[in-house]
């Protein structure tokens, strides 16, 4: 029997609070530090490893976290989720994004449909469509091949797919699987659409309109913007546009599109990279086989996330350490720092994934919680971040837990040796150095040059950013966020907090304002 309880009612949480804190400087200095780096490590899928040596934990804290995982029934809750329970209580919906990349448990039927068959069918249709575009069987009105794909969408219909595209673009070029360049239009700022349209050959571009709801103002506005541009170029918009949406959305039945592919209400926007939302653009850009490898990587990581033993379940362990940092140590934010240019938009995707999922102050029953929930997430690729905000991370008054990601090999394998090391080695040397600098610090008589240390970090280490390892990395973070939501007893799968601003913006545009809103409207010349 599953019970949903607030974190502060759990006996194991009270025990955890009493366990002696770890002095990270001592723990990570000398031989004990070397031992921790060797031992505090869990294999992930696709050759990735999660290393938590530099986190502020020891065996006692880890044992207490394992008890918390048991009492909070994390494995059981995940099992209930993938077997089709209504986990999204706010919207009374199932949560089925795992099913887009494999079957973890029982077959799930909803709305009279076998859901796995539905997602698989959509994947097959996308693959077929992409193959025909690549083969020149589906063309523009003049019978010429499409060369560019442009995704129009925002939030989950932009961030994940864009981050994944950028992550694999150079890998695909290097491995001869690059089919079409992809561009993205998201912001309702007219300069976004205008700049993208100026940078492409519209006549040879296929546009993917992505909106689960089919009602998002920014996306519908940008669709009209693009249709206008197509019309002005003397082109038939319906020969240049496909849609990805849910079958219940207003877009689903329209004749305005060359083709339509579907996801459904059981896949949250921020969890939709492995559904048709990511599938269409990634299959067009790199080919369906690459998208399938990406899904396999995610499925392999999902399988690990089922493990009841927290020490064999990297997503669960990462989640629990994050809870310890948030609810016992009181750290308010977390930085995600990939030492890989390919992952340049990955932190932006994680921002939505994490903050829209767990930025909640009521539990899944709508009652206020008395403890902090989701942290503020931010990040940049290393080493760029080092020359920007690391000052605060090293010497600022707040301690910010860090999540590093690093790879042994580059994607392009073009490198140069300067002063006896390659650029890749320099990149990796920096991440190793940062972990130890943050953890151990360095004392100096000059207070200004003193590093307190004791700043915790973890690192995910991989061979290379490729489709499989990217899928595994994505699923790791999705599952981490899910487990944290379970611990905090919040519903990680709705996002009511984004509604109020939308309603007020509509009122501004209808000139139905008063008070402060009216004055701001006037100031902005609306
Ligand atoms: O895909 P759509 O229905 O257009 O939604 C796009 C985005 O907008 C919403 O406001 C939500 O905050 C996001 O979770 C969602 O991904």
């Amino acid at each position: 029997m599953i019970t949903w309880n607030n974190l502060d009612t759990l006996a194991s949480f009270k025990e955890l609070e009493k366990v002696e804190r770890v002095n990270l400087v001592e723990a990570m200095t000398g031989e004990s530090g070397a031992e921790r780096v060797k031992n505090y490590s869990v294999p992930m899928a696709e050759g990735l490893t999660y290393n938590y040596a530099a986190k502020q934990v020891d065996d006692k804290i880890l044992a207490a976290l394992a008890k918390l995982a048991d009492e909070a029934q994390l494995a059981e809750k995940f099992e209930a989720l993938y077997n089709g329970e209504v986990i999204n209580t706010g919207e009374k919906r199932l949560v089925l994004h795992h099913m887009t990349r494999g079957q973890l448990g029982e077959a799930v039927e909803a709305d009279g449909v076998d859901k796995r068959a539905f997602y698989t069918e959509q994947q097959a249709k996308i693959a077929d469509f992409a193959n025909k575009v690549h083969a020149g069987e589906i063309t523009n009105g003049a019978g010429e091949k499409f060369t560019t794909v442009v995704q129009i969408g925002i939030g989950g219909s932009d961030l994940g797919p864009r981050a994944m595209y950028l992550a694999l673009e150079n890998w695909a070029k290097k491995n001869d699987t690059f089919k079409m360049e992809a561009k993205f239009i998201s912001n309702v700022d007219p300069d976004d659409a205008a700049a993208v349209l100026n940078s492409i050959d519209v006549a040879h571009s296929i546009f993917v309109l992505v909106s689960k709801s089919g009602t998002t103002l920014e996306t519908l506005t940008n669709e009209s913007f693009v249709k206008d541009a197509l019309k002005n170029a003397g082109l038939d918009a319906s020969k240049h546009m496909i849609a990805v949406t849910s079958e219940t959305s207003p877009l689903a039945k329209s004749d305005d599109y060359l083709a339509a592919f579907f996801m459904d209400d059981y896949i949250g926007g921020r969890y939709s990279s492995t559904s048709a939302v990511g599938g269409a653009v990634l299959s067009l850009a790199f080919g369906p086989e690459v998208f399938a490898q990406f899904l396999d990587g995610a499925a392999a990581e999902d399988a690990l996330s089922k493990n009841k033993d927290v020490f064999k379940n990297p997503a669960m362990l990462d989640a629990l350490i994050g809870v310890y940092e948030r609810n016992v140590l009181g750290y308010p934010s977390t930085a995600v720092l990939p030492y890989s240019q390919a992952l340049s938009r990955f932190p932006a995707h994680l921002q939505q994934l994490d903050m829209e999922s767990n930025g909640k102050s009521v539990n899944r029953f709508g009652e206020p919680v008395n403890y902090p929930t989701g942290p503020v997430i931010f990040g940049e690729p290393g080493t760029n971040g080092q020359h920007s905000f690391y000052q605060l991370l090293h010497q600022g008054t707040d301690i910010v837990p860090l999540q590093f990601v690093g790879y042994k090999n580059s994607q392009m394998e073009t490198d140069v040796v300067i002063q006896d090391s390659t650029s890749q080695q320099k990149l990796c040397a920096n991440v190793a150095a940062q972990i130890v600098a943050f953890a151990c610090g360095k004392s100096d008589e000059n207070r200004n040059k003193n590093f307190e240390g004791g700043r915790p970090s973890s690192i995910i280490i991989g061979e290379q950013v490729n489709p499989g390892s990217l899928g595994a990395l994505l699923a790791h973070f999705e599952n981490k966020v899910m487990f944290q939501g379970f611990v905090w007893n919040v519903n990680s799968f709705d996002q009511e907090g984004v509604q109020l601003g939308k309603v007020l913006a509509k009122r501004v545009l209808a000139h139905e304002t008063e008070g402060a809103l009216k004055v701001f409207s006037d100031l902005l010349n609306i």
Side-chain angles (χ1 to χ4, degrees), residues 154-157 211-214 216 269-270 352 356 495 498 502:
I154 198 164
S157 297
S211 179
K212 173 174 143 177
S213 61
T216 303
R270 53 196 175 274
Q352 187 200 8
E356 205 171 62
Q495 57 286 319
V498 302
K502 291 185 196 173

Side-chain angles (χ1 to χ4, degrees), residues 154 188 214-223 502 505-506 509:
I154 198 164
V188 77
T215 59
T216 303
L217 170 96
E218 288 88 342
T219 302
L220 297 182
T221 306
N222 279 325
E223 179 188 23
K502 291 185 196 173
K506 274 198 183 144
L509 292 170

